[in-house]
Amino acid sequence: MATATAIDRLRDPSEKTLGVMLLAPAFLLLALIVVYPIGKLIWNSFFDLRLSGGSGIKFVGLENYALVFKDPDFWNAAKNTVLITLITVPGALVVGMGLAMLANLPFKRKWPVRLALLLPWALPLAFAGLIFAWFFHTEYGVVNDIVRRAVSPAEPAMWLLRPNWAFAAICLTIIWKTSSFMALILLAGLQMIPKSLYEAAEVDGASKWQQFWQITIPMLMPSIIVALIFRTITALQTFDIPYTMTKGGPGNSTETLAMLIHKTTIDYLDVGYGSTLAVCMFVLSLCVTAFYLKRIGKNA
Amino acid sequence: MKSIFDSKSLRLIAAGLVVVNGFFPAVWILLTSLKTEAELVSKPITYWPHAPTLGNYIQAFTDQPLLKYLGNSLAVALSATVFSLLVSALAAYAIARLNLKRRQLILTCIVASSMFPLVTLLVPIFETMRAFGLLNSYTALVLPYIVLNLPVCTLVLVSFFQSIPKDLENAAMIDGCTRMGALVRVVVPLAAPGVFTAGILAFVNSWDEFLLALSLNSNPNFRTLPVGITLYQGEFTFPWPIISAALIVAIVPIAVLIAIFQERVVGGLTQGGLKG
Amino acid sequence: MMRRTYLTALTAAAALVVGLASATTAFAQQTTLRVFSGGANQRPDLMRKLFDQYQAKNPGVKIDIETGGATSELQRQYLSTVLNAKDSAIDIYMIDIVNPAQYFGAGWLEPLDSYIGKPADVLKPYLPVYSTSNVVDGKLAAMPAFADAMFMYYRKDLLDKHGVKEPKTWDELAAAATKIQKAEGNANLQGLSIQGAPIEGAVCTFLLPYWGQGKDFNDASGKMTLDKAAATKGLATWLSMVDQGVIKKNVAEVKTPDTVNEFKAGQVIFAINWGFAWDRFKDDKDSTVQGKVGVMPLPAMTGGKSATCVGGWQWAVSAFSKNKPAAANLVKFMSSPEASKFLAQEGSLLATYQSVYTDADVVKAVPWFKDAANVVIAGKSRPISKDYGQVSDVIRTTTSAVLARTKTPADGVSEIESRLARVMR
C-alpha cells in the first residue's frame, strides 16, 4: 500500500512536458537541417525541372511518377538494389553474428580479434571500393594471383567485366565492409545477456547449439532488429562501392538506385526526375522497414 | 556434438581467419605505401616492396596539409559524436520510458530522415548553411552530422534502454532521485555498451563522410581527411602509393581509438548490474 | 593678418592631405577574385605564376585559388551543388572543354560578349575547335585556357629494330604490332593500349575510329547524325584487334593512368593518350622508355582520314559573380597569346593559339610541339550538347560494355542511337 502511494507521487504530472523537452533538441535539429531539403525534394518531384534545358520549371503533377514506372533504367536499378539488399543484409548479419561471437570469446589477448573486427569499418567507404576493385583486377589483383599460384595458371578471370561476377564481387565487398557494423551492435547486445542464464542452461544439460538458439537469439532480438533496420536502409542506398568498383558496369548491370539518382541529379542535371526517384526510394525504404519499426515501437 | 565454440584449436583458426579478413586490406595499403608506382604494374604482382621507401609519406605530407586535415576531421568527428550522443540519449529516453501517445510516429520520423539519399538533399543544406553564414566552419559539418547520426544512435539507445528493467529506475527514484537523475545515474551506466556502441558508430560515420564535407568546407583550412585524400589524384593520374600513405594516416587514429576503447565497448561492465 | 593667412594655409594643407588620403583609399580598394582552377593536372602552380603577373600589373586586384575536386567527376559534383545554389563565392571557373554548352545552358556562365567581344572575332586566332565548343546560342561562353589532344605514342626503338614504318591506317598498325610482338616473344608486350573503362576518355575511344572514316557524330545545329554502320565498324575494329592479341582482353578495365604506367614500364608498343604523357615518358625517374618514344598522328581507317579528339580546359565567368568586369578582364589575360606561350614553355601545355606553335622560343623549349601542331589543329571536338552529361554517359558506358564483350557492336550502337535520339535533336 505504502509503495503504491509513493509511486503515485513520483509519477510526473508533466510527463508530456518532459517528453517535449527531451525530444526538442532532436526535432529542432531535424527541422533546421532536413525538413526544408526534404520538403523541397518532394516539391521538386512534381515539376519538370531540367537545368540543361534552360526552359524553366514546368508543373507536371504526377507525370514524373508515371515516367518512373515506364523507365527501364529505374526497374533495372531497382532490381539490382533489391538483389543487393537481399544478399548483403542476411550475409552481413550471419558474418556479423559469427564475428561478434568470436570477439566475445575468452581469448587471452582480445585486442587482435576485436581490432580486426572494427578495422574494415575504419577504411573510408569510397577507398574500400577502390581497394577491392584492385583485388579483383584481372592482371594486378590479389584474387587472380592466388588463383594462379594455388589453382592453375590458365587464362585469368576478368571478375569485374562479367555482370554476374562483378555483382558477386560487389556483394562480397559490401558484406566485408558492413559486417563490422552488424558485429558491433550485436556484440554490445551479447554483453547484456547475463552469464547466469547460460550457466543454468548448462546445468540443465543443454548443448551449445541449443543455448545459442534458445538463449542468445531471443535475448539478442532487439539488437538484431536495430542492426537489420539500418543495414537494410543503407543497403537500399548502396552507392559508393559499386560506383568505385565498376561505375555501374559492364553496361548498367551493377547500377543501383542511388547511382541512378546521383547520375540523374549531378550528370544529367535533371533535378525534377532525380527528386522523383529519391521519393520512390524513400517509399521503398519505409515499406521495408515499417514492420521492424513497429516491433521496436511496441516493446514497452 | 562438439561445436566450434568448444574446441580451442578450432577457435584459434576461426580467430585467425577473422584477423586476416580484417587486417588484410589495411596491410595491403601499408605495403603499397612503401612501394613506387612503377612497381605496381610489374607482372607477377609483388607483395613485399622491392625497395621500401618512406618517400610517399613525405610527399603525402608535403603535397597537401595532411596534418591539418587530420586535425579538422578529429575536431568535427569528436564534436559530432559528443553532441549526437547527447541529443540521441535524451530522445531515446523519451521514447523508451515515457508514455507518449505517438511514440511510434516519433521514432519513424527520426529514422525516416535517413531514408533519403544525401545527394538529393545537398543543395538545400548548402543554402541553409550559407544563409547562416556557417560555410567553411566546423559547425557547418557538425550540425548535419548530428542529424545523420540521430537515427542510428537513437534506435540503438532505445533498444538498450528498453532492455533495462524499469524497477531499477523506480528504486532510484524512491530513494529520492529525479527522473533525469535516474537517467544519468542508473540507465546510462547500465546501457554503457550501447552508449559506447552508438558513440563509435557516430564517430566513424562522421569521420568517413564525404559529400557534405566536399560541398560545405571547400576551404583548405577546414577541409576534412576524406576529401583531402581524393585531392592526390589528378584527371589523368592516380598515385596509389601516395594515396595509400594518406590512407594509413587516416586509419591509424581510428585503429588506436578502437584499440583503446574496445574494452569499454565489449567489456564486462554490465555483468553484475542485472542481477536484481 | 599673418595669423589668418597662417590658418588658411593650414586648413588648405589639411584639406589637401585628407583629400589625397581618401583618393588613395579609393584606389587601394581591393577586388578579390576567387578562381576555381581544378586539380593537380591543371597545373595550379603555373596558373599561380600567371596570376602573380596579373596582380603586379593590376594592383587593385587580388586573386585566390580554390580547389574543390581533383578530377572532372569530383569537380562536377562540387560545382553542381555550388552553382545550383547560385553561390557567388567563386568568380571564375576552369572547366573542361566539353562543359561550356551544358553549364551555359544551365544558366551558370556569364556570356563574355559584352566584356571581350563577339565570338567570331575573338576566337579567330585560336584553334578552330573553339569556334564550336565555346560558342553557345551564338554567345561567347568561355575562353580557352590550354589545349590537349589524344596522340599516338610509340616505341621508336622497337619499330626501328624490326624495320617497321609508322603505320598510317589501323590495319597497318595491327599488322605492325603483331609483327613486333611475334619477334619480341614477350608475353607481356601489348601491341596497342587504349582506354576502355567507362571514363570520359572512352567517348574518344568510340569516336576515333568513327571519325577516322570521315564521319561526324552531329551537325552544326547539334542534331545527331550517327552513321550506324560506320560506328559498328569502328567498334568492331577494336574488337578484332583484341582477337588478334594486339589489344589486351581486359581492355574494359584500362584507365588513362594504366596506359601511361604500362608504357613507361616498357610493356606497350603503341599507346593512345593525352598530351601530358609525353613529359611523363621523357622525364619521369622510373620511366624505362626515355629517349625511345615517338609521337605521330592517329591512324585513319582504310580509305578515311586521321582524326583525333581534342581536350583541354577553359576559363569561364560565373553568372553569379559579384565582380564580373574584373573577372572577365582576368579571363582575357589568362587566354592571351602571352599566357599560352608561358604555359607552353613552362609546362608543355599545348597552346590554344595557332601562332604559338611556330613561335621560335616555344619550338626551342618544347620541340615536339612541331609534330603536335598538325594533330591538334586537325582535332575534332566531342558532341556539343546542353545535355552533354547524358551524351557522355551513354557513349562511354555502352562503349565499355562492348569492349567487355557484354554487348555486340551492333547492339551497342543501336542503344546509343535510341537513347540519344531524344536528347540530340
Side-chain angles (χ1 to χ4, degrees), chain B residues 59-66 69 227-234 237-239 242-243 246, chain C residues 40 70:
Chain B
Q59 214 175 331
F61 279 101
T62 52
D63 275 359
Q64 293 202 73
L66 201 56
Y69 297 160
V227 178
I229 297 183
T230 59
L231 287 173
Y232 289 103
Q233 54 180 305
T237 50
F238 196 92
I242 301 176
I243 292 178

Side-chain angles (χ1 to χ4, degrees), chain B residues 41 130 223 233-236, chain C residues 41 67 70 72 85 87 267 280:
Chain B
V41 292
R130 181 179 56 186
R223 193 172 285 146
Q233 54 180 305
E235 187 68 30
F236 307 129
Chain C
N41 287 140
T67 34
S72 217
D87 202 54
Q267 297 170 3
R280 301 291 299 272

Side-chain angles (χ1 to χ4, degrees), chain A residues 132-133 136-137 158-162 165-166 169 245-246 249-250, chain C residues 253:
Chain A
F132 273 80
F136 284 105
H137 196 277
M158 301 193 288
W159 299 108
L160 297 176
L161 298 182
R162 294 278 160 270
W165 288 119
M245 282 182 85
T246 58
Chain C
E253 270 180 320

